[in-house]
Amino acid sequence: MAILPILIHPDPRLKTVCEPVPDMSDELRTLADDMLLTMYDAPGIGLAAPQIGVLQRVIVMDCVKEEGAEPKPVAMFNPEVTASSDITNVYEEGCLSIPEQYAEVTRPKLVQVRWMDRDGKLQEQEFDGLWATCVQHEIDHLDGKLFIDYLKPLRRQMITRKMQKLKRERARKAL
């Protein structure tokens, strides 16, 4: 297993609609394991394949945040929201591809999600609260959408400029 580099916005791969995975394979299971390791190391509660430069419909998440609680890692292949509630929640969202930037985003409170698991079996489950927000955020990544796309243009531009500056600074340090 490997910790993979996470792309920083703006990067065209983060705005690309990802391809469905055709069938389950050992390569995809390894990708999911690497993504979970990368997510926990970051640390984060979710990660989508395009954030590591892989343009396939794969996400991982684990919204268990309580100290000492048993982790509940989930890997989803070709996830899709099949139903969502009219009732909404507002969470302050962040993103591993947009470090240290947070904003309140309104999303459906409950979502029904269908996906293929690591054994190639179809799963369907209802998610609520933080889990619902996280799964919607990660599926957005698969559709080339970032949480800042929900913000007003001026705020989005300000965050994008900060990320461009961060990328320049990191590039200089790497030299």
Side-chain angles (χ1 to χ4, degrees):
M1 293 202 334
I3 295 172
L4 306 167
I6 297 172
L7 300 178
I8 302 297
H9 167 73
D11 185 298
R13 292 168 287 185
L14 294 172
K15 300 301 281 179
T16 303
V17 176
C18 295
E19 293 293 320
V21 298
D23 289 308
M24 191 46 56
S25 65
D26 287 338
E27 289 81 13
L28 285 171
R29 282 186 273 276
T30 299
L31 173 66
D33 291 340
D34 289 347
M35 287 173 62
L36 281 165
L37 187 64
T38 301
M39 177 193 78
Y40 287 129
D41 179 70
I45 61 169
L47 186 69
Q51 291 181 271
I52 56 162
V54 176
L55 301 179
Q56 291 187 299
R57 298 188 77 80
V58 180
I59 66 171
V60 297
M61 59 184 203
D62 184 349
C63 296
V64 174
K65 294 166 63 171
E66 299 79 32
E67 193 67 39
E70 189 69 29
K72 290 190 175 139
V74 178
M76 297 181 174
F77 304 87
N78 300 331
E80 60 179 322
V81 174
T82 57
S84 58
S85 66
D86 292 333
I87 300 167
T88 58
N89 258 355
V90 177
Y91 271 99
E92 185 176 67
E93 294 188 27
C95 181
L96 296 176
S97 291
I98 308 173
E100 298 176 26
Q101 301 298 311
Y102 304 92
E104 289 187 345
V105 177
T106 303
R107 297 181 186 270
K109 181 183 184 317
L110 297 166
V111 288
Q112 188 79 20
V113 179
R114 180 178 23 228
W115 73 94
M116 185 171 55
D117 69 14
R118 32 186 330 118
D119 297 322
K121 294 189 179 104
L122 211 54
Q123 301 289 332
E124 191 153 0
Q125 182 178 332
E126 183 176 271
F127 293 93
D128 187 7
L130 181 59
W131 285 89
T133 294
C134 185
V135 75
Q136 291 172 84
H137 175 113
E138 299 310 329
I139 290 172
D140 274 356
H141 274 297
L142 304 181
D143 295 325
K145 189 168 187 172
L146 303 171
F147 85 92
I148 60 171
D149 294 332
Y150 291 92
L151 307 179
K152 288 185 167 57
L154 191 62
R155 178 92 194 276
R156 187 171 52 245
Q157 290 166 359
M158 186 180 76
I159 290 172
T160 298
R161 281 195 297 273
K162 286 181 181 177
M163 292 302 100
Q164 289 168 327
K165 183 179 176 188
L166 175 68
K167 286 173 80 169
R168 284 192 303 270
E169 288 169 0
R170 286 185 177 181
R172 272 196 289 272
K173 286 180 184 174
L175 295 178

